[in-house]
Amino acid sequence: MIKNIEISRIRPHYNNPRKELGDLTELAESIKKTGILQNLTVVPWFSNITKSGADDPVKQEEMGYIAVIGHRRLAAAKLAGLKEVPCVISDMSYSEQIATMLLENMQRNDLTLYEQAEGFQMMLDLGESVGDISEKTGLSTTTVRRRVKLLDLDKEKFRQSVERGATLSDYIELEK
């Protein structure tokens, strides 16, 4: 069920694999003119901290929500001056939240190779196997392993090379 939630009650997810939101000007203008056409997906704030208050709707409203899908829309809606946004409230474990954000951004091609690698590493740190990640993302286990291996490179040099347009194929060739 879709529910309009006050923007002030929603926080961006603190571990979203996507670090850069990019220029939000056009999206904010579009939202001003037509509103938000696709709802956000949020989880109750308490689901990431504690289950206390989980059955209390008033407590949930007080604590607010965390955006799992729709970070750019949330930021652009704030920029556009909206007071509420349409949301689906979901009950996801922390691991499911990370996987969902990673997949959603990958499907939109919104993540850099480095952000994908960091997202895969977060999932591994949460106990997912390379096989689990492969199954959830639709990528081969080889691709998942290669992307995680990129984190062994110097972080700043890797980011700079991605910004210059280096591709995964370039890194595979370097590895050979």
Side-chain angles (χ1 to χ4, degrees), residues 133-156:
I133 297 169
S134 173
E135 188 175 310
K136 289 178 180 179
T137 62
L139 298 172
S140 71
T141 56
T142 302
T143 298
V144 173
R145 279 192 193 96
R146 282 185 175 150
R147 289 188 186 168
V148 171
K149 190 162 176 50
L150 294 174
L151 295 175
D152 292 341
L153 301 172
D154 178 89
K155 187 176 185 176
E156 193 52 39

Side-chain angles (χ1 to χ4, degrees), residues 89-154:
I89 302 170
S90 183
D91 184 25
M92 295 183 215
S93 70
Y94 179 72
S95 177
E96 290 169 325
Q97 293 168 36
I98 298 297
T100 299
M101 289 185 296
L102 185 60
L103 293 172
E104 195 261 345
N105 283 303
M106 285 177 62
Q107 287 174 353
R108 294 175 185 256
N109 292 322
D110 283 345
L111 294 179
T112 66
L113 290 173
Y114 194 81
E115 289 170 332
Q116 286 180 27
E118 286 183 319
F120 290 153
Q121 186 59 57
M122 269 193 271
M123 291 176 75
L124 289 168
D125 293 346
L126 290 168
E128 300 281 341
S129 69
V130 170
D132 294 337
I133 297 169
S134 173
E135 188 175 310
K136 289 178 180 179
T137 62
L139 298 172
S140 71
T141 56
T142 302
T143 298
V144 173
R145 279 192 193 96
R146 282 185 175 150
R147 289 188 186 168
V148 171
K149 190 162 176 50
L150 294 174
L151 295 175
D152 292 341
L153 301 172
D154 178 89

Side-chain angles (χ1 to χ4, degrees), residues 2-12 36 40 42-43 60-67 73-74 77-78 81-89:
I2 297 176
K3 177 182 179 180
N4 284 329
I5 299 176
E6 287 181 41
I7 285 180
S8 64
R9 313 280 328 135
I10 307 170
R11 299 172 185 93
I36 293 185
L40 285 68
V42 298
V43 294
Q60 176 179 315
E61 285 296 322
E62 288 173 8
M63 294 181 83
Y65 301 89
I66 300 170
R73 276 172 277 149
L74 177 62
K78 287 178 183 177
L82 268 61
K83 301 295 182 213
E84 295 182 332
V85 291
C87 299
V88 169
I89 302 170

